[in-house]
Each structure stands twice: as structure tokens, then as C-alpha cells.
């Protein structure tokens, strides 16, 4: 059974930092690109960042480029999101998502998601 | 950036009725569109990918169609567990990957 479990969310002041983790199980983690998506209150999902299976290619949304860093440890089956210089508008539930296709297929559709971790940025 | 516009924003229907949700892209995205179901406190669920392919375990009452700029998700007969918010998402031209604004299917 595929499982994705996010952790690391919490309450942080503007300008602060958080590191989110996503523990994956039930599939060959190193064969799939992984993605972070967030959903702010009352809005639709927002794609944030994607990291290729071997961590050789990274992609970021303009809203987080330069502040957030995606990484992975394939030996630990874990995806990370380092979030710096947090702003009030970063308040959201953060999800990690598994790419539908493995290494041989296209990136950008997500067949499994975690339940999310809440990040609240407020003074 | 490709903008996805979903309509209607809210669909009020009764169990057993047919739901038709629309997603329109600001430019052609071929068939590179997925549909997701979101419920409070739950992980988002992939329903349809590549416009018309049902994901693993998705009931046959869910179907998707379309190509280019116009897409439709149909739920042939609403079950109580289908009342949720639905989002379309494109992977044709990225970054960024983009989602639509959502359609809430609520009980009438």
C-alpha cells in the first residue's frame, strides 16, 4: 500500500523557517519524481515544486523560488521542503504527491497524496 | 502560464443525479489533464488522468472527456460519498503546473 506521511508543519512567525518531511512507503521511491503542493484556506491547490527521481532536476513556482528548497533522500524514502523567509501568505496545508508515472513516463500527474501538514505563518 | 477555468463554481444536486463539471484551458493542452477529488481532512484523490483514463480503483460512474481546451468530468449517478470539491490540473506546459479554481458538488 502506497503511503505518504507529511510532518514538520506548525506555527511560525513571518521571516521564520520550517522544514517539512514526507515519509514514503509502499513503492520504489527512487523511481518517481515527487512534488509539493499547498492549499491555502478557501483556495484551490497551488503547485510549489517538483524534484526528479534522481534529484537531478528541480522546478519551482515563482511564488517560492529562492525561498523554498526541495530535496530528497532516496536511502530514507523521504522528501523534504525547506521553507525560509516565510510570509503570512504561505499559510496553507502542504501536501507531498507521488508522480503517476515512474522514471520512464511524463511528470505532472499525481496518483497518491499525503494527508497534508498545516503551516501557519503569523505574528 | 496556462489558466484553467472551472464551471460552475457550485453544483447543487441530489444523490442519484448526474453531475457535469467543466474545465476550460487558456490554450490547448492536448489531453494532458487530470481531475482530483478533495474532501476535508483527506488526501486528495486522483480520479482521471490524460483527460479520460480512470485512475486505479475509481468507480465507473466517473468519466472524463475532452481535448485541446475543453474538458468535462461526469459523475453519472451521484453517491453520497461523491459530494466534494473537484479540481482539474494540467501538465501540458510547465512549470508551472496549474490547477483550476474548483467545483464544489453539494447536496441539494
Amino acid at each position: 500500500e502506497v503511503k505518504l506521511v507529511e510532518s514538520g508543519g506548525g506555527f511560525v512567525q513571518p521571516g521564520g523557517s520550517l522544514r517539512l518531511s514526507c515519509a514514503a512507503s509502499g513503492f520504489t521511491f527512487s523511481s518517481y519524481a515527487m512534488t509539493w503542493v499547498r492549499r491555502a484556506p478557501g483556495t484551490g491547490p497551488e503547485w510549489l515544486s517538483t524534484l526528479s527521481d534522481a534529484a537531478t532536476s528541480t522546478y519551482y513556482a515563482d511564488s517560492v523560488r529562492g525561498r523554498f528548497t526541495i530535496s530528497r533522500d532516496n536511502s530514507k524514502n523521504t522528501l523534504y521542503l525547506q521553507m525560509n523567509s516565510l510570509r503570512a501568505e504561505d499559510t496553507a496545508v502542504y501536501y507531498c504527491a507521488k508522480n503517476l508515472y515512474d522514471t520512464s513516463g511524463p511528470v505532472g500527474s499525481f496518483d497518491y497524496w499525503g494527508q497534508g501538514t498545516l503551516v501557519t505563518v503569523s505574528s | 502560464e496556462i489558466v484553467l477555468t472551472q464551471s460552475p463554481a457550485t453544483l447543487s444536486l441530489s444523490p442519484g443525479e448526474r453531475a457535469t463539471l467543466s474545465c476550460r484551458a487558456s490554450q490547448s493542452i492536448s489531453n494532458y489533464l487530470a481531475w482530483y477529488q478533495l474532501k476535508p481532512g483527506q488526501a486528495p484523490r486522483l480520479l482521471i488522468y490524460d483527460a479520460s483514463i480512470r485512475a486505479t480503483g475509481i468507480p465507473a460512474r466517473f468519466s472524463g472527456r475532452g481535448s485541446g481546451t475543453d474538458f468535462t468530468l461526469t459523475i453519472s449517478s451521484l453517491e453520497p460519498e461523491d459530494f466534494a470539491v473537484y479540481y482539474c490540473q494540467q501538465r501540458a506546459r510547465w512549470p508551472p503546473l496549474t490547477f483550476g479554481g474548483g467545483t464544489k458538488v453539494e447536496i441539494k
Side-chain angles (χ1 to χ4, degrees), chain A residues 20-35:
Chain A
L20 306 184
S21 298
C22 169
S25 59
F27 65 102
T28 305
F29 182 73
S30 59
S31 294
Y32 291 85
M34 296 293 295
T35 292

Side-chain angles (χ1 to χ4, degrees), chain B residues 27-86:
Chain B
Q27 57 186 280
S28 178
I29 58 172
S30 185
N31 66 330
Y32 300 136
L33 187 96
W35 290 93
Y36 300 90
Q37 178 191 68
L38 271 71
K39 293 182 179 179
Q42 295 188 17
R45 183 188 185 196
L46 174 66
L47 301 173
I48 301 286
Y49 64 95
D50 295 348
S52 62
I53 303 174
R54 265 192 308 278
T56 302
I58 300 303
R61 64 180 181 273
F62 291 91
S63 63
R65 61 180 298 168
S67 66
T69 60
D70 291 303
F71 300 86
T72 301
L73 173 70
T74 301
I75 310 171
S76 60
S77 178
L78 284 163
E79 296 288 337
E81 61 268 27
D82 298 336
F83 292 92
V85 185
Y86 294 83

Side-chain angles (χ1 to χ4, degrees), chain A:
Chain A
E1 177 195 7
V2 172
K3 204 169 182 184
L4 298 171
V5 180
E6 303 93 340
S7 61
F11 187 96
V12 62
Q13 292 188 332
S17 298
L18 279 176
R19 188 197 199 199
L20 306 184
S21 298
C22 169
S25 59
F27 65 102
T28 305
F29 182 73
S30 59
S31 294
Y32 291 85
M34 296 293 295
T35 292
W36 288 99
V37 175
R38 70 184 177 188
R39 190 182 182 203
T43 69
E46 178 190 9
W47 170 79
L48 298 178
S49 182
T50 294
L51 180 59
S52 63
D53 51 355
T56 52
S57 299
T58 57
Y59 307 88
Y60 293 98
D62 288 346
S63 59
V64 303
R65 185 178 293 112
R67 299 189 299 125
F68 291 11
T69 302
I70 192 171
S71 62
R72 63 194 295 162
D73 185 337
N74 285 346
S75 69
K76 295 183 178 178
N77 291 348
T78 304
L79 178 73
Y80 303 101
L81 187 67
Q82 178 66 43
M83 306 188 297
N84 298 331
S85 303
L86 283 161
R87 308 165 180 166
E89 55 264 36
D90 295 318
T91 294
V93 176
Y94 286 70
Y95 300 93
C96 64
K98 170 189 168 290
N99 200 61
L100 171 65
Y101 296 103
D102 68 10
T103 306
S104 60
V107 176
S109 301
F110 314 115
D111 60 345
Y112 288 95
W113 300 59
Q115 295 215 326
T117 186
L118 176 63
V119 172
T120 303
V121 185
S122 175
S123 55

